[in-house]
Amino acid sequence: MNGHSAHSVPSRPAPNQAPVEMPVAFRVLGPLEADGPDGRPLDVCGGKPATVLTLLLLHRNAWVSTEQLIDAVWAGRDIPASAQNNLKTYVWQLRRALPEERIESRPGAYRVRVLPGELDADVAAGLCDEARELLTAGAAGKAIVVVQRALSLWRGCPYDGLDADATSAVDRLTELHRSLREDLADAQLALDRPAEAIAVLRALTEEEPLRELAWARLMAAYRRTGRRHDALAAYQRARTALVRDLGIEPGAELTALHQQILSEEAPRLVTPPVSSNLPPRIPGFVGRTAELLSLRGATGVVTIDGMPGIGKTAFALEAAAGSGQENQVYVDVTEPTSLPQATGLLILDNVEHADQVRRLLPNDPSALVLVISRHRLTGLDRTGAITLDVLAPEEAEQLTDVEQVLRAANGHPAAIRHLVERLRNRQPWTAARLAAQLDDPTSRCRALADVLAHFDAAYYSLPGPVQRFYRLVGTTPQFDLRRAARLAGVSQDEVEPMVDQLMDLNLVAEPAPGRFVLLPVVRDHAQQLLVATEPKAELVA
């Protein structure tokens, strides 16, 4: 046997018959591994030899130049003069580790022969196709078995150890892994196992928030289990991610599903409260569907924050109207008041800090307390927190169709309503002229003067250096800490707490890690202050 075990020596082929090759299992869906024909692990040497074999497997059955192999082995490092000889050594080591003559050579190139079914990446793709056929045929139970078998092949990042060479393959295999998980959820839904599907889809949407297909499946799963609120909240999370990261609205499928779920709500009969001192609701209230649904049947303390004019009080009044609570009390904490003993729903408005409201909280676990503040409050034992953002474009368009108003207000409800009122009852040509003026920053600030005045209290609550930083940062639509530090003339460590203070007041948002923005209405306020304090400054459109 010349020192070789019997199982490793193929039988002698008959004349004119191709040799029978023994199967090998190559695994690249994670760190490189290989098994021999007997199923035992092969020592593929690790380190640089493993990188060589991994790149050859990436281009299986195709020639790979020695230059490409050398670049992969010494990626990001200086290539030694002995690289060619070292590469020959690595190939020799691999040939010793692999059965038969799997690695072939020709002048300036090598290749590895891989038979059908030997590479786990190819096996996974075949299993995915098989699962799709089973799902189409209505065999969801069998499809789950096939999908789970495919998913079990993944042990980490595909083609681990390769950099730029493997980018395309890694992206393709990562997409395959996601598709398999979506197929798994489809099969679970087909078998009436929505809870399992929801667990899979929630993980997918958290990992890939821009994947609309996964969001649509998640909404459908929630809808199937009667969790309508969760389905609508999922749509809002999907839309936020798409608008923030890609600047686009959800596609037709996701939007249609959202509208279907919205239309399924049966009219809800709400008994008028027995006792209420709530102010009148805002006529024509729009938006906030997911947030309002989150308060249906809620109890405990819920904080509601947002920038001035974003509609915090209007939102709380809408929530109160749908709460069904018999006793409803509104308190402006800036004014002296006494509370009735029986309180089902309590709205505490204009709260600056938690100490103002602790003594007012009812000792009633069935009560709902809505605490409204421009700050992001801390220090309260609360059951929920809602930060109101600007209206979505389609919601803002329900308030006006004047493009200049929508552009100037950018979803800020108070700004939209104020500008619409300003244009109301004007002659058409006068309204058109006033609307056109909104594209000029000076005219726009003048038109929004009453709205911008509501930001003054937040501004004057800031320390002097932060006030100055706020004025300066209004000259840029977005910034990071480096730019903020340059504007303020301080270090990044010093400017970061300033940014946090503005965020706590909802004057600055962080749509992506380390990237900060000001809403146009906030920018107008900051720029107006800049001109007032530094007359030579110019407003930026």
Side-chain angles (χ1 to χ4, degrees), residues 348-379:
L348 300 175
D349 206 351
N350 295 315
V351 178
E352 290 292 317
H353 51 81
D355 291 340
Q356 284 179 292
V357 298
R358 283 198 186 93
R359 64 177 180 82
L360 301 176
L361 301 180
N363 185 21
D364 180 358
S366 65
L368 173 62
V369 183
L370 304 179
V371 181
I372 302 173
S373 178
R374 65 188 178 200
H375 299 271
R376 297 184 180 181
L377 293 174
T378 59

Side-chain angles (χ1 to χ4, degrees), residues 7-244:
H7 66 258
S8 64
V9 179
S11 59
R12 185 179 299 277
N16 300 322
Q17 181 179 347
V20 177
E21 293 187 288
M22 304 300 289
V24 178
F26 295 105
R27 293 192 290 276
V28 294
L29 296 177
L32 176 65
E33 292 180 354
D35 290 345
D38 59 353
R40 295 180 181 177
L42 299 174
D43 181 10
V44 289
C45 310
K48 293 183 173 64
T51 301
V52 171
L53 181 55
T54 303
L55 185 59
L56 291 174
L57 289 170
L58 176 65
H59 302 285
R60 51 201 171 278
N61 300 318
W63 294 102
V64 182
S65 69
T66 55
E67 289 81 4
Q68 190 174 353
L69 288 164
I70 287 171
D71 288 341
V73 169
W74 282 278
R77 291 169 290 179
D78 293 333
I79 299 175
S82 60
Q84 290 280 357
N85 290 331
N86 292 348
L87 180 60
K88 292 178 181 178
T89 301
Y90 303 149
V91 172
W92 174 78
Q93 292 173 334
L94 291 170
R95 280 173 168 162
R96 288 188 61 190
L98 297 175
E100 306 163 351
E101 291 294 323
R102 284 305 186 100
I103 297 183
E104 302 174 340
S105 63
R106 72 179 187 187
Y110 295 92
R111 73 178 174 186
V112 62
R113 282 186 296 106
V114 177
L115 303 179
E118 287 189 329
L119 187 71
D120 60 353
D122 295 338
V123 172
L127 290 172
C128 183
D129 292 340
E130 182 182 348
R132 295 273 172 84
E133 292 175 3
L134 289 169
L135 277 171
T136 302
K142 293 179 180 179
I144 285 182
V145 174
V146 174
V147 170
Q148 289 176 333
R149 182 180 159 203
L151 290 172
S152 70
L153 298 174
W154 265 265
R155 299 168 293 108
C157 179
Y159 294 103
D160 190 34
L162 296 184
D163 295 322
D165 296 280
T167 299
S168 177
V170 170
D171 290 345
R172 177 176 52 80
L173 289 168
T174 301
E175 175 61 23
L176 178 64
H177 190 259
R178 296 185 189 118
S179 296
L180 282 165
R181 293 159 74 190
E182 289 175 344
D183 291 343
L184 176 61
D186 284 346
Q188 290 165 334
L189 286 172
L191 293 174
D192 200 24
R193 290 151 57 177
E196 295 177 31
I198 287 170
V200 172
L201 294 167
R202 283 187 61 182
L204 262 175
T205 53
E206 287 171 4
E207 294 166 15
E208 290 290 326
L210 304 181
R211 196 171 180 83
E212 291 196 50
L213 195 58
W215 283 113
R217 284 178 163 93
L218 179 59
M219 289 171 64
Y222 278 138
R223 181 190 193 185
R224 188 162 180 169
T225 57
R227 297 168 63 178
R228 182 175 177 278
H229 159 62
D230 289 327
L232 294 172
Y235 174 81
Q236 292 300 329
R237 293 198 302 275
R239 182 185 174 279
T240 297
L242 290 166
V243 172
R244 177 190 65 209

Side-chain angles (χ1 to χ4, degrees), residues 325-406:
Q325 295 278 8
E326 291 187 353
N327 296 291
Q328 300 182 359
V329 178
Y330 172 87
V331 175
D332 183 341
V333 299
T334 63
E335 301 174 358
T337 188
S338 59
L339 296 180
Q341 292 182 349
T343 301
L345 179 137
L346 174 61
I347 297 177
L348 300 175
D349 206 351
N350 295 315
V351 178
E352 290 292 317
H353 51 81
D355 291 340
Q356 284 179 292
V357 298
R358 283 198 186 93
R359 64 177 180 82
L360 301 176
L361 301 180
N363 185 21
D364 180 358
S366 65
L368 173 62
V369 183
L370 304 179
V371 181
I372 302 173
S373 178
R374 65 188 178 200
H375 299 271
R376 297 184 180 181
L377 293 174
T378 59
L380 284 176
D381 184 11
R382 58 190 176 186
T383 56
I386 295 174
T387 296
L388 295 182
D389 202 351
V390 295
L391 296 174
E394 64 272 15
E395 295 168 342
E397 289 169 5
Q398 295 178 44
L399 297 176
T400 182
D401 59 357
V402 180
E403 291 184 7
Q404 293 95 330
V405 169
L406 293 170

